[in-house]
Amino acid sequence: MPELAPDAPASTALAGRHYRVRDRYEVGREKIREFARAVQNHHPAHHFEPDAAKLGWDAVIAPPTFASVIGMATTQALLDSVLSDYDLSQILQTDQVFHIHRPILAGDVLTSEAEIQSIRRLRGNDFITVKATVIDAEGAVVQVGTTTIVARLGAEVDADIVRLVEGVVMHRREVGSSDPEVLIPISAEEATPEPAFATSRGDRTVETLPHFEDLAVGDLLPPATLRLTRGDLVNYAGVAGDPNPIHFSDRAAELAGLPTVVAHGMLTMGLGAQYLSAWLGDPSAIETYSVRFSGFVPVEASAPAELEFSAKVKALDPERQIATVLLTATSGGKKLFGRALADVQLA
């Protein structure tokens, strides 16, 4: 990634600003099901109402990383407006954290708010941390996601990459001057505060297969292997709305300095959620899930890539019956996650 010019117009003054997304997001049952298929989250509660009801929910529940779909739209709105110096095709995600107060449900009508928490220049690139809060129709916080991306200014993008992206990137309607403002600036005082988990989750119970009293610090989870094909990448790009061509174009990957097409970081994180959910037996038991991305998954055209997941119990909170699980993911012997943690509530 080329360095930014020393006198490039940094957007550091935007740090600390808050915005509200004008439009709402109506969660569809079939959108949840197609996203679950895209991230290989196979729990039947993502697909069928009777199975969700067994876990105490009155509608199909979205996979733990589903909020990334809303987050992608929010990030794009920021890049279209207040962060317009940056080019989405030249952005790399480095971290993602989900605070899940409750699962997103089919039928939810959600709004979102965004805070640009920080913009730091390091080694010629800008590291931008954005917090997105998802709120339901009653004004309750459903989930909060924090993401860090590293970006360079659009003016520094290689001309070959610009021409390629124009030819292969997924079509996206440009927002014209006659369209309503997508983002509404708000003050920090107007922003919706995130409640404590003890408040938001209340006395909610979970139906997990492992029980808290059966676990000890250091316990290992059974390992698992999941696979990704080029078709999986193309499918996820469409379902999640991620237009970066390095995930489906060999030429784009080559120009970006990659050996071949690579999987989305959020797709690998979604597979990690499947690994956790399969162990738990109740995907709604995941309270927080965070990943620092440190590697990528090359996916060749002729054969699937394999991802190996393992985990161990790092800590136990007997007061809330929460286990902190440390995840490891590798592909081809290389680490994918620098650090990945999940707090899970147990029966």
Side-chain angles (χ1 to χ4, degrees):
M1 184 176 286
E3 291 190 355
L4 297 171
D7 58 349
S11 304
T12 53
L14 294 170
R17 296 195 183 179
H18 296 254
Y19 301 88
R20 181 171 291 128
V21 178
R22 181 184 294 274
D23 201 7
R24 66 188 183 278
Y25 187 96
E26 298 185 8
V27 182
R29 175 180 184 265
E30 297 313 311
K31 181 68 175 184
I32 287 177
R33 297 173 85 181
E34 72 177 17
F35 184 86
R37 286 190 292 270
V39 292
Q40 301 181 31
N41 283 201
H42 302 308
H43 195 285
H46 301 315
H47 301 272
F48 306 106
E49 287 81 2
D51 295 282
K54 292 176 184 176
L55 302 179
W57 304 101
D58 58 7
V60 165
I61 68 174
T65 60
F66 180 85
S68 61
V69 176
I70 305 171
M72 175 61 71
T74 301
T75 300
Q76 185 64 66
L78 288 169
L79 291 167
D80 283 342
S81 52
V82 295
L83 295 174
S84 56
D85 287 335
Y86 302 104
D87 185 284
L88 182 60
S89 68
Q90 300 301 299
I91 283 176
L92 175 69
Q93 186 177 19
T94 63
D95 296 86
Q96 177 67 51
V97 181
F98 290 106
H99 294 273
I100 304 171
H101 293 274
R102 71 159 173 85
I104 292 172
L105 306 174
D108 272 339
V109 178
L110 305 172
T111 55
S112 56
E113 297 173 0
E115 176 190 358
I116 303 174
Q117 291 190 312
S118 65
I119 302 178
R120 298 175 293 111
R121 178 149 298 175
L122 183 64
R123 295 190 296 273
N125 296 303
D126 282 2
F127 287 74
I128 307 166
T129 300
V130 176
K131 175 183 176 182
T133 302
V134 178
I135 304 154
D136 67 17
E138 285 70 47
V141 172
V142 177
Q143 296 187 15
V144 177
T146 303
T147 188
T148 300
I149 56 178
V150 57
R152 61 181 178 180
L153 294 175
E156 298 294 320
V157 178
D158 187 289
D160 288 338
I161 295 178
V162 172
R163 286 192 293 271
L164 175 80
V165 168
E166 288 174 348
V168 303
V169 75
M170 292 187 298
H171 175 75
R172 186 175 61 84
R173 185 182 70 89
E174 295 299 327
V175 178
S177 59
S178 61
D179 291 299
E181 191 76 27
V182 176
L183 295 175
I184 305 169
I186 59 175
S187 67
E189 291 73 26
E190 293 176 287
T192 303
E194 181 180 3
F197 278 117
T199 301
S200 63
R201 290 212 159 202
D203 298 325
R204 188 173 300 144
T205 59
V206 293
E207 302 292 337
T208 57
L209 299 175
H211 286 241
F212 183 85
E213 60 269 18
D214 297 330
L215 296 180
V217 172
D219 281 354
L220 300 178
L221 278 63
T225 299
L226 298 175
R227 293 174 175 81
L228 287 174
T229 66
R230 287 281 181 96
D232 292 325
L233 304 195
V234 173
N235 183 48
Y236 181 81
V239 170
D242 187 336
N244 195 326
I246 65 170
H247 304 303
F248 53 83
S249 166
D250 284 298
R251 180 59 177 153
E254 178 188 350
L255 287 172
L258 296 165
T260 187
V261 163
V262 299
H264 312 68
M266 288 306 305
L267 175 53
T268 63
M269 191 175 182
L271 297 185
Q274 160 60 22
Y275 172 68
L276 285 171
S277 296
W279 172 65
L280 289 166
D282 182 349
S284 70
I286 299 174
E287 189 174 272
T288 67
Y289 181 27
S290 64
V291 168
R292 178 172 299 157
F293 302 104
S294 63
F296 53 80
V297 181
V299 183
E300 301 290 349
S302 58
E306 292 193 342
L307 293 79
E308 293 81 30
F309 289 92
S310 59
K312 69 176 180 179
V313 177
K314 185 175 184 292
L316 293 168
D317 179 353
E319 184 176 348
R320 297 190 57 227
Q321 295 203 156
I322 296 290
T324 299
V325 178
L326 180 66
L327 287 87
T328 299
T330 62
S331 182
K334 296 182 179 179
K335 288 182 62 175
L336 304 177
F337 301 158
R339 185 171 176 82
L341 291 170
D343 289 336
V344 299
Q345 186 178 357
L346 295 164

